[in-house]
Amino acid sequence: MPVDHTKNIIEVSGVSFAYNEDLVLENVDLNIHKGDYVGVIGPNGGGKTTLIKIMLGLLSPSRGTVRMFGVDIHDFKNWSRIGYVPQKVINFDVNFPATVFEVVAMGRYGKLGIFKSLTREDKRIINESLRQVEMFEYRNRIIGDLSGGQQQRVFIARALAGQPEVIFLDEPMAGVDVLAQDQFYQLLKKLNRELELTLVFISHDIEAVVNEVTEIAFVNRSLSYDNNPKNFGRGDLEKLYGDNKFIHHHKHA
Amino acid sequence: MLELFQYSFAIRGLVAGLIIGFIAPLIGIFLVLRRYSLIADTLAHVSLAGIAIGFLLKINPILTAIASTVLSSVVIERMRTSKKVYGESALAIFLSGSLALAVVLISLAHGFNTGLLNYLFGSIVTVKQTDLLIIGSLGALVVVVLALFYKELVYITFDEESAQVSGIPTRLINTLLIVLAALTVSLSIPIVGVLLISALMVIPVVTALQFRRSFIKTIFIAELVSLFSVVTGIFASFYLNLSTGGTIVLISLLVFAVSLGLRKR
């Protein structure tokens, strides 16, 4: 599917961020367009998560601006257009008393607004999202009883239930076994191609991501961008990381 | 006819107990799952200072307890979110600080009357007609607010960051939860007492969690455990002449032990 590069969804311009005196991000520019499948990669501590938190309005940049669907992030209200899959599996409370259905229902809550409860239409959308990630049969199971890969699919379903236009995924493979990771990449590809969802995928596993995404944003304090990830070869990685030991080797079928 | 119901104070105590037994786990489930269990204990100590102020100024101690816990709960939440102080350090500061204040106030008044002991450990005889009115109306307020913000509270409790990204006003709702907790703590004082209050908010919930059910069913089980403990505790304490608060808490602990045994699979 050719990516429509005419419509900007997120515009990051001249963003810098410092924790105390430590400059984490320096003059970062990044445009994400409708239908993009962007891999945001870089070494741990390189500022990926900070960049994402700034994009989502969870942190304010020291300098620069972020515009979401053309609106400055501080004035942005239409959060139901954004889906978010957090780095959840590894710090997940397995004793939390919630069924898969209850977890996915949370994806509707932002859209519903305060004081309202789930309608029949909401329930239909929740079930539909569960089918999309092939977890419908598990809807009455307790979330903590599922495997890491299954839990992560439930979190995708929760994001889908909000019917967003763009989904942010923060290191979604953490705690997911290799076989489940392959299924997970298939699912993301399907969402990107068939539902034309824009995906922003944060990962430190560069080699795996390079094979999947349509564009790459490499973050290590500053940002370099490539809309042909296959060109993003070993030489670039070594140059950018400066040190081989940061590269995570990963076999991906 | 049961002998208990011949005494109007006993009926008042039972009604107050049922209201508190109903509200405590509703708030408790959100506190327990957010690792906030100790906040109930902290607010209980704060309310002791409030009670001491009430005695000193000759105002209904429940009212001064409510005022002091609500105020402190907001300050604790501020301290926690500002990250200037660790969350549990904020609790420790308020717990010991308010106990110190209470002790000083008590010594100022040369020891008060026996009423204070009832506030420490709870007794159904302390429930006056005006207390019942206060407990009833504020109890209703807590239930209504919880029902209105139920889904937002569930989402924030499960995953605060995602809730925030989805546009839910997390700061407002966090403050709301802690204020409701403060109200519940103050209301429960006449029945279970300052020192035992957190038990009623925590033990039924932890018991219900052993059954690994959905969120809504977990609340339902916690309600059953709580109401059962309160009713049997009040009856047992009345007929056996025991401390009401202590009896209620021991019964709920017994139920908890049984639930742990049942889970051994």
Side-chain angles (χ1 to χ4, degrees):
Chain A
M1 188 190 79
V3 171
D4 174 15
H5 273 281
T6 56
K7 195 177 172 195
N8 278 350
I9 287 184
I10 304 160
E11 297 156 285
V12 176
S13 22
V15 161
S16 297
F17 187 87
Y19 284 108
N20 301 322
E21 299 293 293
D22 247 351
L23 199 58
V24 183
L25 292 172
E26 190 175 8
N27 204 21
V28 167
D29 293 306
L30 176 65
N31 283 345
I32 293 173
H33 317 96
K34 189 168 170 54
D36 278 3
Y37 182 177
V38 187
V40 178
I41 58 170
N44 291 324
K48 302 185 295 290
T49 301
T50 305
L51 177 61
I52 294 312
K53 286 195 168 164
I54 289 171
M55 284 164 127
L56 292 172
L58 296 172
L59 284 175
S60 282
S62 319
R63 215 172 320 134
T65 57
V66 176
R67 296 176 76 78
M68 187 78 91
F69 295 102
V71 181
D72 188 277
I73 196 76
H74 298 295
D75 302 321
F76 186 73
K77 292 277 183 289
N78 210 345
W79 288 104
S80 63
R81 297 175 82 174
I82 316 292
Y84 178 54
V85 179
Q87 187 179 340
K88 197 71 225 179
V89 175
I90 44 173
N91 46 21
F92 181 76
D93 176 9
V94 292
N95 288 316
F96 198 94
T99 60
V100 166
F101 185 91
E102 284 178 316
V103 171
V104 177
M106 293 171 192
R108 299 295 302 161
Y109 291 171
K111 207 158 197 151
L112 268 173
I114 285 166
F115 304 152
K116 302 227 173 63
S117 51
L118 294 175
T119 63
R120 189 175 294 177
E121 173 68 2
D122 289 314
K123 287 175 185 158
R124 189 192 64 76
I125 294 166
I126 293 161
N127 286 329
E128 180 58 30
S129 308
L130 278 166
R131 286 196 189 90
Q132 214 118 45
V133 301
E134 293 168 18
M135 288 299 292
F136 182 71
E137 289 72 31
Y138 294 85
R139 66 191 180 283
N140 293 324
R141 296 275 293 274
I142 297 297
I143 181 84
D145 290 344
L146 305 180
S147 73
Q150 290 171 327
Q151 285 171 357
Q152 203 52 279
R153 293 224 296 275
V154 172
F155 287 117
I156 298 271
R158 185 179 69 181
L160 289 174
Q163 298 179 310
E165 292 165 58
V166 50
I167 297 182
F168 288 79
L169 304 106
D170 189 0
E171 298 273 6
M173 297 308 178
V176 177
D177 64 78
V178 179
L179 187 73
Q181 288 189 13
D182 282 340
Q183 290 177 348
F184 197 73
Y185 281 120
Q186 296 299 323
L187 174 64
L188 291 181
K189 203 169 269 177
K190 186 182 89 176
L191 296 178
N192 178 240
R193 289 186 181 165
E194 291 172 19
L195 301 182
E196 297 183 14
L197 271 168
T198 307
L199 301 178
V200 183
F201 185 109
I202 300 108
S203 177
H204 66 273
D205 194 349
I206 296 158
E207 289 176 71
V209 172
V210 160
N211 294 317
E212 299 294 331
V213 299
T214 58
E215 13 259 296
I216 280 267
F218 183 90
V219 187
N220 194 3
R221 201 164 83 170
S222 58
L223 184 139
S224 38
Y225 177 82
D226 198 328
N227 62 6
N228 192 350
K230 300 285 190 296
N231 292 344
F232 201 82
R234 169 58 52 112
D236 294 316
L237 287 180
E238 280 167 16
K239 197 169 69 203
L240 286 163
Y241 275 82
D243 189 337
N244 235 341
K245 73 180 179 209
F246 285 114
I247 299 178
H248 292 252
H249 294 278
H250 177 93
K251 294 250 186 312
H252 187 73
Chain B
M1 173 110 179
L2 283 161
E3 196 186 330
L4 179 78
F5 296 116
Q6 290 165 6
Y7 302 96
S8 56
F9 79 83
I11 294 171
R12 283 201 300 272
L14 194 62
V15 172
L18 285 171
I19 296 172
I20 291 153
F22 183 73
I23 306 167
L26 288 183
I27 295 285
I29 190 164
F30 296 108
L31 299 182
V32 167
L33 289 171
R34 306 189 68 176
R35 309 292 187 277
Y36 268 9
S37 296
L38 275 179
I39 202 147
D41 222 9
T42 304
L43 292 173
H45 284 77
V46 170
S47 70
L48 183 62
I51 287 167
I53 293 170
F55 268 106
L56 210 59
L57 301 179
K58 306 220 176 347
I59 309 171
N60 188 333
I62 292 190
L63 292 177
T64 47
I66 289 171
S68 60
T69 49
V70 168
L71 194 69
S72 309
S73 69
V74 174
V75 177
I76 291 170
E77 181 64 11
R78 280 271 167 80
M79 273 171 111
R80 193 184 65 88
T81 48
S82 77
K83 302 216 167 104
K84 283 181 189 141
V85 180
Y86 297 121
E88 78 239 50
S89 308
L91 295 186
I93 290 167
F94 270 82
L95 199 149
S96 48
S98 53
L99 194 57
L101 179 63
V103 172
V104 167
L105 288 176
I106 289 166
S107 62
L108 261 183
H110 303 293
F112 299 126
N113 50 35
T114 50
L116 191 72
L117 206 64
N118 287 335
Y119 283 98
L120 282 179
F121 299 106
S123 162
I124 51 174
V125 288
T126 37
V127 182
K128 298 177 188 67
Q129 194 64 44
T130 47
D131 295 346
L132 201 57
L133 264 173
I134 298 170
I135 292 171
S137 47
L138 280 182
L141 178 77
V142 171
V143 172
V144 167
V145 175
L146 273 182
L148 288 177
F149 291 93
Y150 170 77
K151 61 187 199 309
E152 283 79 12
L153 279 166
V154 173
Y155 199 172
I156 292 177
T157 304
F158 183 67
D159 183 354
E160 181 157 2
E161 204 171 57
S162 298
Q164 198 180 346
V165 171
S166 79
I168 288 170
T170 50
R171 192 184 290 184
L172 172 78
I173 289 174
N174 281 334
T175 307
L176 201 66
L177 174 66
I178 203 162
V179 168
L180 292 181
L183 283 178
T184 309
V185 164
S186 316
L187 295 184
S188 321
I189 287 165
I191 295 295
V192 287
V194 169
L195 298 177
L196 297 172
I197 217 147
S198 60
L200 207 53
M201 294 173 95
V202 172
I203 298 169
V205 172
V206 179
T207 306
L209 285 175
Q210 304 310 316
F211 294 90
R212 295 184 71 76
R213 295 297 158 92
S214 69
F215 204 89
I216 203 87
K217 279 185 188 155
T218 304
I219 290 178
F220 187 72
I221 297 168
E223 285 294 343
L224 285 181
V225 175
S226 173
L227 292 173
F228 172 80
S229 310
V230 167
V231 172
T232 50
I234 286 176
F235 272 88
S237 67
F238 180 80
Y239 287 107
L240 305 174
N241 201 18
L242 304 168
S243 146
T244 317
T247 312
I248 291 172
V249 173
L250 286 181
I251 288 172
S252 69
L253 272 176
L254 202 68
V255 179
F256 171 62
V258 171
S259 77
L260 269 187
L262 285 176
R263 199 189 168 174
K264 219 166 48 181
R265 268 171 290 147

